[in-house]
Amino acid sequence: MSFKNFRLQLILRLALLVLSIYLLAWIGFNPTYRSTFIGLALLVLLQVWLLIRFNERTNKLVLRFLNSINYDDFTEQFHVGGEGKTQRELAKRLNEVMEKFRQVRAEKEAHLHYFEVIVQHIGIGIITYRPDGSILLLNNAAKKLLRVGQLQQVQQLEEVSPELAVGLQQLDNGDKALVPVRQGVEQANLAVHVIELSLLGDRIRLASLQNIQSELEDKEMEAWHNLIKVLTHEIMNSVTPIASLSASAHEEIESYTDTEAEEVTLLREELEDIGQCLHTIHRRSDGLIRFVQDFRNLTTISLPQVGRFDVRELLKEIKTLMREQFSHDHVKLQIEVPPDSLLLAADRSMIEQVLINLVKNALEAVREKKEGVVILRAYHDERSRISLQVADNGYGMTQEAASKIFIPFFTTKKTGSGIGLSLSRQIMRLHKGTISVQSEIGKGTTFTLRF
């Protein structure tokens, strides 16, 4: 017989058990009823065992609930149609608690996914790691910035930048540092900020990485512009009257040396020497004025007039333009471009000016080599950006010279003014692009323009 009322079942079971015990006691140990006594004894034991099992159903129900929580298994469902109102209410409440747990976990997972998406899509690199160096999180911006895949330890960053690997481990909570990182042929400066958090009793370090190379270059160029404006202003104020006076004096002496008047008291030879000196002063003053005007060009570059053009045609025109000079110096000029056309959105005349300047520099670098070669190359880099390269097999330059090559006034050539590369970098900055150099002594130099 099956009863749905838990209390009624319990009362009947107890009543039946009491009745069985009573009969067992009434019969006693009478030998005549020995088999009946044994049967009743077994029946009592069976009823006790069934009563225990019946009572343990509630315990098993609660135990299933606790195991589900312990193992984070919130898919468990409890049968509501149990034995009686109390059992049904218990199962119903347990199902409601399980549903609440499912909602809380779903909300938690949604929030976690939301914050993971934010962390992975922000432009600032983020690394979270333990004090022992084990990495917990490396977002996409950090991977892109450092050009690495998934890393397990901070020490693995030594291949990218030893300074960064050491800095992440040695910086204290709240410290900031400027760390240089080499990105292929490009040099970048990362602003690193480290903070320390406590998560469930564990110490977690969070480091933000931001490439401020562009901001540093902007500030550097702004500082050079201000310096150039001051220098050119002061030099022009001093040189212009000197040039004017020397020219006037030279003309006066020329008029005296052309006359045969007796009142000329100085010897003609002395007048000619003075005139020659004044002429030299005038000529050098004009040269200095032109020199200053060249520096002024650094601060007066107009905004680029952007248009789309075929890179292949541009490189061919530069090769045609430079053909005579390369032929005269017995240097080979090669062009390497992909078979498909590359359309670049930029100011064609400005980019042509930059490339011609780089090609001339490369020509001078290989002029004295027996088999000098200059290569003009166009391609898509790993980020699908159009890149142009001017490479030579010259004698190269030191790392110190390469780090200063874009500074105004700095030059490695005996007759250079140090303006061309500074002007080229400024033109690339106006195009939201970059120019970088990679050089090795004895192997040559490569300049790369990225748009």
Side-chain angles (χ1 to χ4, degrees):
M1 182 179 291
S2 176
F3 297 94
K4 293 188 177 180
N5 191 297
F6 177 79
R7 292 177 182 175
L8 181 60
Q9 282 196 58
L10 183 60
I11 292 172
L12 291 176
R13 287 174 183 271
L14 289 174
L16 183 61
L17 180 61
V18 170
L19 179 61
S20 299
I21 294 174
Y22 174 77
L23 291 174
L24 186 65
W26 182 72
I27 294 175
F29 294 99
N30 191 337
T32 307
Y33 300 103
R34 181 177 297 176
S35 58
T36 305
F37 179 83
I38 295 173
L40 286 173
L42 293 175
L43 180 62
V44 168
L45 293 176
L46 178 62
Q47 290 184 67
V48 170
W49 180 71
L50 291 174
L51 183 62
I52 292 173
R53 281 193 59 191
F54 178 75
N55 187 56
E56 284 182 347
R57 291 180 184 179
T58 302
N59 296 336
K60 289 182 179 179
L61 193 67
V62 176
L63 186 60
R64 282 172 55 198
F65 173 74
L66 294 177
N67 285 333
S68 298
I69 296 176
N70 185 41
Y71 296 107
D72 290 333
D73 181 15
F74 302 126
T75 61
E76 186 72 52
Q77 288 287 337
F78 301 97
H79 184 56
V80 178
E83 299 104 339
K85 180 179 179 182
T86 303
Q87 290 291 92
R88 288 197 301 271
E89 188 68 19
L90 177 60
K92 181 179 179 182
R93 295 301 178 213
L94 290 178
N95 285 332
E96 289 177 355
V97 173
M98 295 296 288
E99 180 63 26
K100 190 66 176 180
F101 272 120
R102 283 193 290 270
Q103 292 178 2
V104 171
R105 186 169 70 173
E107 291 177 2
K108 180 181 177 181
E109 292 177 350
H111 285 126
L112 180 61
H113 178 69
Y114 172 71
F115 287 115
E116 283 181 350
V117 170
I118 292 177
V119 169
Q120 293 296 340
H121 282 78
I122 60 176
I124 298 177
I126 292 179
I127 304 177
T128 59
Y129 56 99
R130 293 190 175 94
D132 63 359
S134 58
I135 295 177
L136 302 175
L137 172 68
L138 186 71
N139 74 340
N140 293 330
K143 294 177 183 178
K144 184 177 179 181
L145 198 60
L146 301 175
R147 298 187 179 181
V148 296
Q150 190 63 43
L151 302 180
Q152 302 298 327
Q153 293 289 329
V154 170
Q155 292 80 357
Q156 294 177 271
L157 291 173
E158 290 183 356
E159 299 179 2
V160 180
S161 171
E163 296 89 345
L164 178 60
V166 173
L168 289 177
Q169 293 179 298
Q170 294 184 352
L171 289 174
D172 293 329
N173 182 28
D175 285 352
K176 297 180 181 180
L178 187 64
V179 179
V181 175
R182 192 74 182 178
Q183 297 178 330
V185 298
E186 297 181 4
Q187 179 72 30
N189 285 282
L190 303 184
V192 181
H193 184 201
V194 175
I195 61 174
E196 196 165 286
L197 308 170
S198 178
L199 184 62
L200 299 178
D202 293 335
R203 290 171 55 206
I204 304 296
R205 310 192 78 191
L206 187 149
S208 63
L209 313 177
Q210 189 171 9
N211 188 358
I212 60 171
Q213 183 65 29
S214 177
E215 289 77 3
L216 288 177
E217 290 181 358
D218 287 341
K219 292 297 182 182
E220 180 184 357
M221 291 304 299
E222 182 181 352
W224 280 115
H225 286 175
N226 294 334
L227 177 60
I228 290 170
K229 288 179 181 179
V230 173
L231 289 177
T232 54
H233 177 73
E234 295 298 327
I235 293 174
M236 291 297 289
N237 286 346
S238 300
V239 173
T240 301
I242 293 176
S244 178
L245 289 174
S246 61
S248 299
H250 178 66
E251 292 176 359
E252 289 291 333
I253 291 176
E254 285 291 327
S255 65
Y256 277 111
T257 56
D258 291 339
T259 183
E260 300 292 336
E262 297 179 358
E263 58 270 18
V264 177
T265 57
L266 293 177
L267 296 176
R268 187 180 299 277
E269 290 80 3
E270 294 177 351
L271 288 173
E272 290 177 353
D273 290 341
I274 295 172
Q276 185 64 34
C277 291
L278 292 173
H279 178 66
T280 301
I281 293 173
H282 175 63
R283 181 168 52 82
R284 292 304 305 150
S285 298
D286 286 343
L288 185 57
I289 290 174
R290 288 194 298 272
F291 179 75
V292 173
Q293 292 290 353
D294 288 339
F295 280 115
R296 277 185 169 175
N297 291 334
L298 285 174
T299 60
T300 57
I301 300 178
S302 59
L303 293 176
Q305 303 297 318
V306 178
R308 297 179 69 85
F309 58 89
D310 194 330
V311 175
R312 182 193 297 271
E313 294 180 0
L314 174 63
L315 299 188
K316 286 184 177 180
E317 289 182 8
I318 293 176
K319 182 176 182 180
T320 302
L321 183 65
M322 304 294 295
R323 182 186 302 167
E324 291 295 329
Q325 298 182 41
F326 276 81
S327 177
H328 179 268
D329 293 323
H330 305 288
V331 176
K332 188 176 181 181
L333 177 60
Q334 298 180 356
I335 293 180
E336 297 180 2
V337 292
D340 54 329
S341 61
L342 292 178
L343 296 179
L344 178 60
D347 189 311
R348 181 184 176 115
S349 61
M350 284 186 171
I351 302 305
E352 184 177 15
Q353 178 184 353
V354 172
L355 290 175
I356 289 175
N357 181 46
L358 295 176
V359 170
K360 286 184 177 180
N361 290 344
L363 176 60
E364 294 181 7
V366 300
R367 183 169 287 161
E368 297 179 1
K369 291 208 67 171
K370 186 175 181 180
E371 295 182 356
V373 178
V374 176
I375 301 176
L376 265 174
R377 184 181 294 117
Y379 62 96
H380 281 109
D381 67 2
E382 66 280 0
R383 294 170 56 186
S384 299
R385 296 178 300 180
I386 294 180
S387 300
L388 307 178
Q389 278 189 346
V390 178
D392 65 67
N393 63 341
Y395 296 101
M397 67 181 80
T398 63
Q399 291 298 319
E400 181 182 1
S403 64
K404 299 178 180 178
I405 199 70
F406 296 107
I407 297 177
F409 315 134
F410 180 84
T411 180
T412 58
K413 297 185 291 186
K414 296 180 180 179
T415 59
S417 62
I419 298 175
L421 290 177
S422 301
L423 194 62
S424 298
R425 186 171 74 166
Q426 189 170 351
I427 289 175
M428 290 302 297
R429 298 288 300 159
L430 291 174
H431 283 83
K432 308 299 182 184
T434 62
I435 179 172
S436 58
V437 61
Q438 187 176 25
S439 185
E440 189 173 348
I441 297 295
K443 293 188 177 180
T445 303
T446 300
F447 284 90
T448 305
L449 311 179
R450 285 188 171 87
F451 297 87

